[in-house]
């Protein structure tokens, strides 16, 4: 069995510090619960640690981490074990809690969106990525990103009607 080159501890710590919120937030957005997001987070940084890949610049590293997070999240959410289990209501994860009630409502509404809309909105508003960066991370055209953002905003507006928008 071939061993892959490992990254230096200082470099690894710096990358985790810089991208931990991005990777965890995307994993949580994609999987919908903390336990799976924790697993994805660990798998992504383990893959980074072991890959030995040389990145052209920070944007290339960030794109690789986003793509790896999306792929790992997909593996977790599409596993046959997960599809054959039903969570017990007492054991379901506590929802993500923010300091402000309004943030909790927006996050809950975001989680109710289909993934095609949820991921671009999360990456655009929470991670402040451009439509070009989102397109690259999701392997879709920038025009498709803009369309998903528009449709996702419309759906969020409907879900939050009364709380933030006039009816």
């Amino acid at each position: 069995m071939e061993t892959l080159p490992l990254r230096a501890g200082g470099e690894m710590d710096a990358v985790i510090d810089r991208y931990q919120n991005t990777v965890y937030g995307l994993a949580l957005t994609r999987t919908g619960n903390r336990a799976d997001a924790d697993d994805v987070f660990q798998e992504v940084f383990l893959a980074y640690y072991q890959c030995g890949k040389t990145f052209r610049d920070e944007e290339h590293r960030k794109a690789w981490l986003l793509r790896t997070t999306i792929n790992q999240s997909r593996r977790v959410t599409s596993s046959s074990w997960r599809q054959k289990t039903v969570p017990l209501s007492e054991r379901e994860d506590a929802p993500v809690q923010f300091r402000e009630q309004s943030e909790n409502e927006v996050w809950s509404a975001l989680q109710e969106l289909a993934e095609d809309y949820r991921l671009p909105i999360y990456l655009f508003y929470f991670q402040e990525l451009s439509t070009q960066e989102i397109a690259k991370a999701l392997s879709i055209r920038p025009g498709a990103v803009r369309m998903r953002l528009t449709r996702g905003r419309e759906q969020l507006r409907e879900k939050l009607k009364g709380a933030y928008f006039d009816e």
Side-chain angles (χ1 to χ4, degrees):
M1 184 168 147
E2 182 182 327
T3 57
L4 298 172
L6 301 177
R7 299 195 178 273
E11 177 197 353
M12 190 67 195
D13 290 343
V15 170
I16 290 173
D17 287 345
R18 184 171 189 162
Y19 295 107
Q20 65 185 348
N21 292 337
T22 302
V23 169
Y24 188 80
L26 181 57
L28 184 60
T29 301
R30 174 70 175 83
T31 63
N33 72 63
R34 292 176 188 208
D36 288 341
D38 289 343
D39 291 344
V40 169
F41 180 89
Q42 292 175 13
E43 290 296 325
V44 167
F45 285 109
L46 178 62
Y48 175 79
Y49 184 72
Q50 293 176 334
C51 78
K53 184 171 178 63
T54 302
F55 298 94
R56 292 185 305 269
D57 54 25
E58 276 306 306
E59 287 305 312
H60 184 216
R61 182 188 325 268
K62 184 177 186 179
W64 186 91
L65 288 167
L66 290 172
R67 186 77 243 159
T68 303
T69 302
I70 291 167
N71 290 340
Q72 185 60 35
S73 297
R74 186 173 291 125
R75 275 189 217 102
V76 167
T77 58
S78 65
S79 75
S80 60
W81 178 85
R82 183 175 176 151
Q83 292 174 356
K84 294 177 183 175
T85 60
V86 177
L88 300 172
S89 59
E90 309 85 56
R91 290 284 302 144
E92 289 185 36
D93 283 342
V96 176
Q97 293 294 314
F98 295 96
R99 279 182 246 146
E100 299 292 326
Q101 179 61 27
S102 61
E103 292 172 329
N104 290 323
E105 292 169 6
V106 171
W107 181 259
S108 294
L110 178 64
Q111 293 299 17
E112 292 174 14
L113 295 179
E115 181 182 334
D116 282 352
Y117 304 122
R118 185 174 62 240
L119 290 179
I121 286 178
Y122 173 79
L123 292 170
F124 188 79
Y125 290 106
F126 288 78
Q127 294 303 318
E128 300 177 349
L129 296 182
S130 70
T131 56
Q132 291 287 81
E133 293 170 316
I134 296 168
K136 190 174 184 179
L138 298 179
S139 300
I140 59 176
R141 293 182 334 273
V145 171
R146 289 188 293 276
M147 181 58 68
R148 290 177 185 189
L149 286 169
T150 299
R151 290 178 180 167
R153 286 182 202 118
E154 290 170 3
Q155 289 182 17
L156 276 176
R157 188 174 294 115
E158 282 299 312
K159 291 181 183 306
L160 297 170
K161 211 173 237 185
Y164 301 98
F165 301 100
D166 295 332
E167 294 185 42

